[in-house]
Amino acid sequence: MSYVHHTVLLVDSDTDQAHFTRLALQRVGVITPVQLAHDGEEAIAYLSGAGDFGDRELHPLPMLMLLDLKLPHISGVGLLSWLREQPALRRLPVVVLTVPVPAGDLNRAYELGCNSFLIKPNSFNALLVLMQGVAQYWLGFNVPPGVGAEAAEAGGEYGPAA
């Protein structure tokens, strides 16, 4: 299966982990852009369309964010808090993809509206399996915010019966 019509924003300060995550997504059929932000500040700039990210042709808004909680400058929790305060972005699906953290961090991420919480695997093969599931569910099966309402209004495949 190929996932071509969705942009993914990967927010991870670990260059190696980001590289392997992008590679795993590519290997499981995600051929759409996987944009990378190295920290919370860069992610906010990307999502806000600030500075170099102002061109939405080159830097489209994502359909999914993969977020590491361990970020410099603005933490993943701080970024999630900021995101949920933005009217145009608050429904963006966010999958936390991070190293094991204390239960308080996990609970805080859910309180701030993360949609899923995944632990980074220790091997590339395990990462491939994980990214296959992420891509299949979030980019394949999941109906992103707004799409379901538009389909229902248009009487589309999942809209109300006539």
Side-chain angles (χ1 to χ4, degrees):
M1 179 175 248
S2 175
Y3 308 96
V4 295
H5 61 287
H6 302 287
T7 297
V8 175
L9 178 60
L10 172 60
V11 185
D12 197 327
S13 60
D14 183 327
T15 308
D16 290 335
Q17 184 66 44
H19 168 76
F20 286 120
T21 301
R22 287 172 109 176
L23 183 60
L25 286 167
Q26 198 175 53
R27 292 239 178 118
V28 301
V30 177
I31 57 177
T32 189
V34 177
Q35 303 286 346
L36 177 62
H38 296 94
D39 59 43
E41 289 177 350
E42 189 176 6
I44 288 173
Y46 183 97
L47 292 165
S48 301
D52 293 339
F53 302 112
D55 183 348
R56 286 296 179 210
E57 291 290 319
L58 293 175
H59 306 286
L61 285 173
M63 297 298 290
L64 175 67
M65 181 190 305
L66 298 176
L67 175 63
D68 187 8
L69 293 185
K70 303 293 184 184
L71 298 172
H73 310 295
I74 297 173
S75 70
V77 168
L79 173 58
L80 195 51
S81 179
W82 173 87
L83 181 72
R84 296 310 186 212
E85 293 173 359
Q86 309 308 306
L89 299 170
R90 70 172 46 139
R91 284 183 244 122
L92 172 66
V94 176
V95 173
V96 170
L97 179 62
T98 195
V99 296
V101 297
D105 290 350
L106 179 143
N107 291 331
R108 184 70 180 135
Y110 274 116
E111 288 167 4
L112 291 169
C114 86
N115 301 92
S116 184
F117 196 103
L118 305 172
I119 302 298
K120 291 178 180 178
N122 292 328
S123 74
F124 185 69
N125 284 340
L127 182 62
L128 278 172
V129 171
L130 184 64
M131 289 300 103
Q132 177 65 47
V134 167
Q136 187 174 31
Y137 179 79
W138 289 105
L139 303 178
F141 298 139
N142 186 57
V143 178
V147 174
E150 292 167 7
E153 289 173 10
E157 181 177 348
Y158 298 106

